Amino acid sequence: MVTDAQQACFEAGIKFGSLYHQFAGTPVSPRSTRSLERAIAESIENQPFCESVTVAIDDDAVAADVGHENGYTELSGHLMEVQMRIVYEGVTARTRMEMEDGYPLMKLVEVVDAGAGT
């Protein structure tokens, strides 16, 4: 039988997979970073058990990636930081995405069971 903590972690993984693979490749420019951050967060927060999503797109990194006169690049993991909080049956899973050796990794930061020990 799957525990609530395991299910909370699974839900976090589903949200990260959805976030990354849905939005990777989206055109982004230094002018559109804030609106894209909001769109990504609000989209993922629609999913069950998702309490909060924070997306921060690095304006300087976006500007540095623009390689043509059209003024945009494609969104990828090295351009953003993401944090999520998933709550399932009293268990909170906190996650973040960070670059490691040039690759965006989704990491479990903390799992807290509000009902544990009671």
Side-chain angles (χ1 to χ4, degrees), residues 58-84:
D58 184 332
D59 295 331
D60 294 334
V62 169
D65 270 15
V66 173
H68 51 81
E69 71 274 357
N70 295 316
Y72 74 93
T73 189
E74 294 179 358
L75 187 66
S76 65
H78 78 280
L79 298 176
M80 63 180 161
E81 293 180 9
V82 179
Q83 296 181 3
M84 287 193 286

Side-chain angles (χ1 to χ4, degrees), residues 3-5 88-92 111-118:
T3 68
D4 290 342
Y88 179 84
E89 299 294 328
V91 176
T92 300
V111 178
V112 177
D113 187 344
T118 60

Side-chain angles (χ1 to χ4, degrees), residues 95-112:
T95 64
R96 74 170 171 260
M97 184 180 76
E98 61 185 32
M99 295 299 291
E100 188 171 302
D101 296 327
Y103 188 81
L105 291 179
M106 290 65 172
K107 297 194 174 198
L108 190 59
V109 174
E110 178 181 50
V111 178
V112 177

Side-chain angles (χ1 to χ4, degrees), residues 3-101:
T3 68
D4 290 342
Q6 290 168 329
Q7 187 66 38
C9 293
F10 172 79
E11 292 293 339
I14 293 296
K15 275 53 164 175
F16 256 127
S18 175
L19 182 150
Y20 194 84
H21 293 291
Q22 178 178 347
F23 291 100
T26 299
V28 62
S29 72
R31 282 191 354 252
S32 68
T33 56
R34 299 297 82 80
S35 63
L36 185 55
E37 288 169 346
R38 285 189 303 277
I40 293 170
E42 290 175 8
S43 173
I44 301 305
E45 285 173 347
N46 284 321
Q47 296 185 41
F49 315 113
C50 191
E51 293 292 315
S52 68
V53 177
T54 303
V55 179
I57 299 173
D58 184 332
D59 295 331
D60 294 334
V62 169
D65 270 15
V66 173
H68 51 81
E69 71 274 357
N70 295 316
Y72 74 93
T73 189
E74 294 179 358
L75 187 66
S76 65
H78 78 280
L79 298 176
M80 63 180 161
E81 293 180 9
V82 179
Q83 296 181 3
M84 287 193 286
R85 186 168 49 90
I86 309 302
V87 178
Y88 179 84
E89 299 294 328
V91 176
T92 300
R94 289 186 34 240
T95 64
R96 74 170 171 260
M97 184 180 76
E98 61 185 32
M99 295 299 291
E100 188 171 302
D101 296 327

